């Protein structure tokens, strides 16, 4: 890790262990992009700017400044001056103009990495990070923009954000403040993104990048089920091991846009940031605005290397929870077991049976508060329903503890039911536009988390519940998207700040929760996996991945999620069959194996399992204890994708020192008259010998010739195979 400035050539080089990012100052004022890719030890990269090619730089050919602006590669392009590609920055002045020119004024290279005020961000010790700050100024408006680039000693990521200050005399309106822009020559790139829906989150899709703009975005007020704040540009034919990959992932949980644009000159501009639609931010003189971070990862060894770079960075420098490197208690959640139809007796029956099988925590899901017996009331009434939980919460928790189990609870702090005491008391706390029908979704409104008194009011109610009993875990849910955006606390010219202020309010409350209750294990959730993003990971070490708990549907969901996020963060449970989302019947063993690639737990009425299934629960519990350290901390290698090949799925987790690995293989569909398959493993030491099923092979053999996998009768069969280095 090193950041260098060549004073004479006016060139910045940002090096990680195996990548280089190059920036140059052109004509003393433009911040131009030179290079991003594999590590280069060459210091003179200025030729990459093509300064001697038409239309030449403005100091030589002022006549063609527009042509220069529209074809050169920039770090942070603004609107309105002649670069007609997607801009990263747009500001409206008091007199209504939208042009700005951020001119280079200086730089600072510092040790460490600054935290971003009110926002989740990558962190690290001072000596393990370095940051480049490039200062730019729009002289007419007095708007200063600081472009931040941070790198870490042990990572190949480049982390970017932007800090904007109004040093002028008049207030301005920020209309777009993206966090990162990357201009490159096209290499026949393809766009890879994660797409889906409720119960079908984060399926990988790859598409060719043609001329024009292709974007991935959310305007739902959260990162969303449908599109995901991640985009990669990959060279054609990129596999897990080969090909070039440029990944961008947004450390943010609200509206976003990620875009790739191919221009007339076959250059590609990749951008990411807060979606400008529905966004304006008034900046008074002296005020500042911070754009959330984008984590950029370049890999010259395919998707696998990119994945492992993200996993390691997030496990070492993003997730803060004290539980991150610990085995989490195996939980049983009552949602799919009972939905709203439960009482304390039913919960205790589940807990009793579960504790006998080695399950360690009972999680009481939705329906324990107010008058909630369906999803049509009581959000906001955060006090226990004693008709359901007779004897009260503390009594229930103590009884669960007597069984040797911990206790966890579900909440949905951001929401308010029109049918609730809270709404009757504070109707103005809901996000709404006066005179317009407020959009309901799942019979609920959204609380105006841009207002501190709303966040404080809800926080106090929930904190009271958490203080009232020995609660070890909280599942924070969020079950609808935002709409009819209006805040009674914001003036007309600040209504465009609501989406972002809402997200900041959520972050403030999560921050407070983990500060006041440091021992509580927090799991985020949003109607399944609609807010599985790095922003939320900063606060919680795990996130519920999807409401679809079917093991086969989960293969694609978990494959897409694990493309970017550590498997230790993926909430995954064994549930009952026929599965409640798809009606599929899968072997109990397969459900266990798929859930092992995650936080692992159960979500079924355990009192109704057969004796054979109960025995299998014990086996799975043992397997979890045996392998969780490896799965949580190891390196993840994707070997095969059923989403691509239809028939089989496979992945491996390899211990960092390569001494041990666990191979997962799922035969999705059985086929007649087929031979065995040689599955090429990955991540092992080629020169060491390994034991597999009582036989010895070299790592090289297993990776080049492959391990023989024989077909089985029946669909949806899974196998886990231990691979250990010979002593
Ligand atoms: C959506 C979550 O994803 C489910 O697990 C469950 O908690 C329900 N909400 C409860 O309303």
């Amino acid at each position: 890790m090193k950041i260098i400035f060549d004073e004479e050539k006016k060139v910045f080089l940002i090096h990680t262990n195996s990548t280089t990012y190059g920036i140059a100052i052109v004509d003393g004022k433009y911040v131009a992009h030179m290079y991003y890719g594999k590590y280069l030890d060459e210091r003179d990269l200025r030729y990459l700017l093509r300064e001697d090619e038409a239309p030449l730089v403005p100091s030589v050919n002022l006549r063609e400044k527009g042509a220069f602006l529209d074809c050169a590669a920039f770090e942070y392009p603004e609107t309105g001056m002649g670069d007609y590609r997607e801009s990263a920055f747009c500001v409206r002045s008091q007199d209504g103009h939208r042009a700005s020119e951020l001119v280079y004024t200086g730089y600072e290279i510092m040790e460490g990495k600054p935290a971003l005020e009110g926002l989740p961000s990558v962190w690290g010790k001072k000596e393990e990070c370095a940051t480049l700050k490039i200062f730019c100024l729009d002289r007419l408006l007095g708007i200063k923009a600081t472009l931040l680039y941070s790198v870490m000693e042990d990572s190949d990521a480049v982390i970017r954000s932007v800090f904007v200050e109004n040093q002028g005399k008049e207030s301005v309106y920020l209309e777009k403040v993206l966090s990162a822009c990357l201009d490159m020559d096209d290499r026949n790139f393809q766009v890879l993104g994660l797409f889906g829906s409720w119960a079908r989150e984060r399926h990988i899709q790859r598409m060719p990048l043609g001329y024009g703009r292709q974007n991935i975005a959310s305007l739902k007020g959260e990162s969303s089920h449908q599109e995901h704040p991640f985009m990669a540009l990959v060279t054609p034919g990129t596999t897990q091991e080969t090909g070039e990959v440029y990944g961008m992932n947004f450390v943010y949980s609200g509206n976003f846009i990620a875009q790739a644009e191919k221009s007339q000159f076959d250059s590609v501009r990749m951008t990411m940031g807060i979606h400008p639609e529905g966004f304006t931010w008034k900046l008074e003189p002296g005020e500042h605005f911070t754009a959330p971070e984008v984590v950029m990862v370049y890999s010259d060894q395919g998707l696998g290397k990119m994945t492992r770079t993200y996993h390691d960075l997030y496990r070492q420098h993003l997730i803060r929870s004290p539980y991150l490197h610990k085995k989490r208690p195996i939980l049983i959640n009552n949602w799919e077991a009972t939905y709203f139809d439960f009482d304390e007796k039913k919960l205790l029956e589940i807990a009793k049976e579960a504790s006998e099988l080695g399950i360690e925590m009972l999680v009481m899901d939705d329906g324990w508060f107010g008058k909630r017996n369906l999803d049509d009331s009581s959000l906001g009434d955060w006090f226990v329903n004693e008709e359901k939980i007779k004897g009260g919460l503390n009594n229930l928790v103590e009884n669960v503890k007597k069984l040797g189990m911990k206790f966890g609870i579900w909440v949905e702090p951001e929401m308010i039911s029109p049918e609730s005491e809270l709404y009757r008391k504070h109707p103005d706390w809901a996000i709404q536009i006066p005179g317009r029908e407020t959009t309901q979704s799942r019979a609920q409104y959204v609380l105006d988390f841009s207002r501190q008194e709303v966040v404080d009011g809800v926080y106090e109610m929930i904190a009271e519940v958490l203080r009232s009993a020995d609660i070890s875990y909280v599942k924070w849910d969020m079950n609808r998207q935002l709409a009819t955006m209006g805040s009674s606390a914001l003036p007309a010219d600040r209504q465009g700040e609501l989406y972002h202020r809402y997200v900041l309010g959520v972050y403030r409350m999560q921050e407070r929760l983990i500060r006041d209750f440091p021992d509580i294990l927090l799991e985020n959730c949003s109607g399944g996996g609609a807010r599985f993003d790095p922003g939320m990971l900063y606060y919680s070490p795990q996130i519920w991945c999807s409401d679809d708990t079917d093991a086969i549907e989960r293969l694609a969901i978990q494959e897409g999620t694990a493309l970017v996020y550590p498997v230790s963060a993926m909430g995954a449970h064994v549930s009952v069959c026929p599965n409640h989302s798809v009606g599929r019947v899968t072997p109990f063993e397969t459900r266990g194996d798929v859930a092992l690639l995650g936080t692992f737990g159960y979500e079924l009425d355990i009192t109704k399992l057969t004796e054979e299934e109960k025995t299998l629960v014990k086996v799975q519990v043992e397997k979890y204890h045996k392998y969780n350290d490896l799965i949580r901390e190891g390196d993840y290698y994707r070997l095969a994708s059923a989403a691509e090949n239809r028939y089989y799925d496979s992945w491996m987790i390899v211990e960092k020192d390569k001494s041990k690995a666990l191979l997962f293989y799922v035969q999705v569909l059985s086929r007649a008259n087929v031979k065995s398959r040689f599955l090429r493993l990955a991540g092992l030491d080629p020169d060491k010998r390994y034991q597999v099923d009582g036989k010895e092979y070299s790592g090289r053999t297993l990776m080049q010739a492959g391990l023989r996998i024989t077909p089985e009768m029946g669909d949806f069969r899974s196998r886990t195979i231990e691979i250990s280095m010979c002593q």
Side-chain angles (χ1 to χ4, degrees):
M1 162 196 88
K2 205 195 262 171
I3 301 179
I4 308 163
F5 181 57
D6 185 328
E7 190 70 55
E8 194 196 325
K9 300 196 171 68
K10 298 279 179 285
V11 159
F12 296 95
L13 291 177
I14 304 168
H15 296 295
T16 66
N17 284 338
S18 51
T19 72
T20 294
Y21 192 107
I23 300 168
I25 307 303
V26 170
D27 274 2
K29 70 191 247 193
Y30 301 102
V31 185
H33 179 77
M34 249 178 1
Y35 174 81
Y36 184 33
K38 201 168 173 165
Y39 182 86
L40 297 176
D41 53 10
E42 179 71 61
R43 284 183 78 116
D44 193 358
L45 292 173
R46 256 200 106 93
Y47 74 97
L48 294 171
L49 296 169
R50 303 184 169 105
E51 287 166 291
D52 52 354
E53 270 178 42
L56 303 175
V57 296
S59 58
V60 183
N61 186 0
L62 195 52
R63 209 182 83 103
E64 295 301 342
K65 177 174 168 179
F68 165 77
L69 289 178
D70 201 30
C71 74
F74 294 112
E75 284 297 315
Y76 202 62
E78 320 86 327
T79 38
M81 295 299 292
D83 182 345
Y84 299 103
R85 294 163 292 178
E86 186 73 33
S87 64
F89 185 71
C90 178
V91 54
R92 175 163 48 90
S93 63
Q94 276 296 327
D95 42 22
H97 301 138
R98 282 192 174 81
S100 62
E101 197 165 32
L102 292 168
V103 165
Y104 173 76
T105 58
Y107 77 96
E108 184 188 335
I109 295 171
M110 57 179 274
E111 256 197 340
K113 176 180 180 302
L116 305 188
E117 193 186 9
L119 285 165
S121 59
V122 169
W123 44 266
K125 291 198 196 97
K126 201 169 170 199
E127 60 283 7
E128 56 189 20
C129 332
T131 298
L132 165 66
K133 291 180 175 178
I134 295 184
F135 305 119
C136 305
L137 184 68
D138 182 297
R139 293 214 160 84
L140 184 68
L141 299 174
I143 298 297
K144 179 178 174 187
T146 304
L147 314 183
L148 293 120
Y149 302 79
S150 296
V151 281
M152 334 275 299
E153 192 66 64
D154 57 354
S155 174
D156 271 326
V158 175
I159 300 131
R160 293 186 59 174
S161 72
V162 179
F163 183 73
V164 183
E165 292 163 88
N166 184 352
Q167 300 184 337
K169 292 196 172 54
E170 288 187 337
S171 50
V172 295
Y173 295 91
L174 302 176
E175 294 195 333
K176 188 200 264 184
V177 190
L178 299 190
S179 299
C181 168
L182 176 64
D183 279 346
M184 300 181 283
D185 281 4
D186 187 26
R187 266 171 253 163
N188 214 356
F189 282 124
Q190 297 173 337
V191 177
L192 186 146
L194 301 172
F195 298 88
S197 181
W198 171 75
R200 270 192 284 116
E201 295 88 341
R202 289 175 294 287
H203 286 225
I204 299 170
Q205 180 180 269
R206 211 186 274 208
M207 46 223 158
L209 174 63
Y211 291 105
R213 296 167 193 209
Q214 205 159 306
N215 71 50
I216 302 174
S218 166
L219 286 167
K220 295 172 188 274
E222 61 171 352
S223 37
S224 94
H225 296 100
Q226 288 76 8
E227 306 193 18
H228 194 75
F230 167 78
M231 180 188 261
L233 293 184
V234 304
T235 47
T238 287
T239 64
Q240 286 294 319
E241 298 93 28
T242 62
E244 286 187 281
V245 182
Y246 292 86
M248 281 194 185
N249 191 202
F250 200 24
V251 188
Y252 189 61
S253 313
N255 290 348
F256 73 87
I257 185 161
Q259 186 169 278
E261 176 184 5
K262 184 166 159 179
S263 81
Q264 56 183 330
F265 300 114
D266 291 332
S267 66
V268 171
R269 173 166 288 176
M270 188 181 184
T271 45
M272 183 176 269
I274 292 180
H275 204 303
E277 188 174 326
F279 171 86
T280 50
W281 194 277
K282 184 176 185 185
L283 211 58
E284 304 268 17
E287 285 184 347
H288 59 260
F289 179 86
T290 309
E293 279 177 2
V294 166
V295 177
M296 298 175 51
V297 171
Y298 166 78
S299 158
D300 63 327
Q301 289 162 44
L303 291 167
K305 187 175 174 199
M306 177 204 75
T307 291
R308 289 182 290 280
T309 304
Y310 277 118
H311 287 195
D312 285 343
L313 181 78
Y314 292 167
R315 283 183 298 190
Q316 303 308 329
H317 299 289
L318 179 72
I319 303 171
R320 297 178 301 162
S321 167
Y323 288 92
L324 172 62
H325 297 296
K326 288 194 188 135
K327 219 197 287 168
R328 326 271 158 82
I330 301 177
L331 64 80
I332 182 155
N333 178 303
N334 74 305
W335 180 242
E336 284 199 28
T338 65
Y339 297 102
F340 294 103
D341 186 16
F342 64 89
D343 57 13
E344 90 292 346
K345 264 207 211 111
K346 182 69 203 167
L347 293 177
L348 283 169
E349 276 171 27
I350 292 177
K352 183 160 182 305
E353 191 66 59
S355 68
E356 282 164 12
L357 302 178
I359 296 172
E360 299 158 310
M361 180 159 74
L362 174 78
V363 174
M364 177 170 70
D365 210 278
D366 193 355
W368 57 268
F369 51 92
K371 295 196 169 56
R372 190 146 164 112
N373 292 314
L374 261 183
D375 61 6
D376 58 358
S377 83
S378 304
L379 293 168
D381 295 346
W382 299 112
F383 42 83
V384 73
N385 177 350
E386 296 219 12
E387 277 170 34
K388 261 177 153 172
I389 311 295
K390 292 182 201 74
L393 184 62
N394 188 46
N395 189 46
L396 170 64
V397 175
E398 289 307 313
N399 284 330
V400 168
K401 280 171 63 192
K402 277 188 203 137
L403 296 168
M405 291 176 94
K406 293 173 187 290
F407 186 87
I409 200 165
W410 176 99
V411 289
E412 193 175 359
E414 297 154 73
M415 299 295 152
I416 182 165
S417 304
E419 187 46 52
S420 66
E421 286 182 22
L422 187 68
Y423 188 70
R424 281 188 281 279
K425 208 156 130 201
H426 294 294
D428 66 304
W429 280 19
I431 285 181
Q432 60 200 293
I433 298 173
R436 195 173 288 288
E437 184 191 350
T438 306
T439 306
Q440 282 194 29
S441 188
R442 211 195 192 204
Q444 62 202 52
Y445 296 149
V446 183
L447 281 168
D448 184 354
F449 261 45
S450 74
R451 290 168 63 180
Q452 192 56 41
E453 70 273 31
V454 175
V455 174
D456 289 347
V458 176
Y459 180 78
E460 268 321 313
M461 280 188 273
I462 287 174
E464 185 67 37
V465 173
L466 301 182
R467 282 185 217 110
S468 73
D470 188 2
I471 291 170
S472 305
Y473 160 108
V474 167
K475 176 176 173 187
W476 175 315
D477 204 348
M478 193 264 198
N479 280 301
R480 62 158 287 181
Q481 292 92 33
L482 277 53
T484 34
M485 292 302 283
S487 168
S488 54
L490 290 172
D493 64 348
R494 285 193 180 271
Q495 289 291 334
E497 299 174 16
L498 183 52
Y499 274 117
H500 183 53
R501 286 189 184 276
Y502 175 87
V503 177
L504 295 178
V506 172
Y507 290 155
R508 273 201 305 280
M509 181 158 158
Q510 297 231 338
E511 184 69 44
R512 198 167 160 199
L513 186 72
I514 60 173
R515 188 197 62 205
D516 294 355
F517 299 93
D519 296 331
I520 284 184
L521 168 60
L522 179 63
E523 173 155 353
N524 270 296
C525 169
S526 179
R531 215 162 49 180
F532 200 122
D533 59 58
M536 301 316 279
L537 279 181
Y538 181 72
Y539 303 97
S540 66
Q542 58 194 61
I543 302 179
W544 184 229
C545 205
S546 176
D547 277 347
D548 194 335
T549 51
D550 172 71
I552 300 307
E553 294 299 296
R554 274 290 182 125
L555 295 176
I557 296 170
Q558 295 183 183
E559 179 190 1
T561 307
L563 181 73
V564 187
Y565 305 105
V567 302
S568 62
M570 294 198 300
H573 298 165
V574 175
S575 66
V576 79
C577 279
N579 178 268
H580 291 188
S581 302
V582 289
R584 185 176 286 130
V585 177
T586 52
F588 205 84
E589 292 90 334
T590 304
R591 286 177 256 160
D593 285 345
V594 174
L596 268 187
L597 188 75
T599 56
F600 194 74
Y602 291 84
E603 187 156 337
L604 40 71
D605 189 346
I606 203 157
T607 64
K608 297 199 175 128
L609 293 189
T610 62
E611 284 312 309
E612 196 192 335
E613 286 171 328
K614 284 181 193 167
T615 312
L616 289 172
V617 171
K618 282 192 191 155
V619 173
Q620 290 172 346
V621 164
E622 233 174 75
K623 208 164 170 184
Y624 170 79
H625 288 302
K626 183 166 179 204
Y627 292 118
N628 183 257
D629 286 347
L630 166 65
I631 292 171
R632 213 182 51 239
E633 309 288 339
D635 285 335
Y636 165 88
Y637 289 85
R638 171 58 52 178
L639 304 183
S641 162
E644 284 171 15
N645 67 36
R646 260 185 90 205
Y647 293 105
Y648 68 106
D649 212 66
S650 181
W651 62 90
M652 253 175 100
I653 309 280
V654 184
E655 204 144 279
K656 288 272 172 202
D657 65 4
K658 301 192 181 292
S659 63
K660 207 162 83 188
L662 188 64
L663 167 68
F664 292 78
Y665 183 86
V666 182
Q667 174 179 293
V668 176
L669 293 178
S670 175
R671 299 175 82 190
N673 194 21
V674 286
K675 287 190 177 166
S676 57
R677 162 170 293 123
F678 293 109
L679 183 70
R680 294 169 83 176
L681 309 193
L684 303 173
D685 184 335
D687 298 322
K688 292 278 162 47
R689 297 197 67 76
Y690 290 88
Q691 279 271 346
V692 189
D693 277 339
K695 282 206 199 102
E696 249 194 49
Y697 311 79
S698 76
R700 183 170 288 107
T701 305
L702 288 170
M703 293 193 289
Q704 291 303 319
L707 181 70
R708 185 150 72 118
I709 307 280
T710 46
E712 270 186 76
M713 284 299 277
D715 295 336
F716 318 134
R717 308 273 145 179
S718 78
R719 257 173 271 182
T720 52
I721 301 169
E722 192 178 303
I723 297 153
S724 3
M725 200 184 265
C726 302
Q727 294 307 318

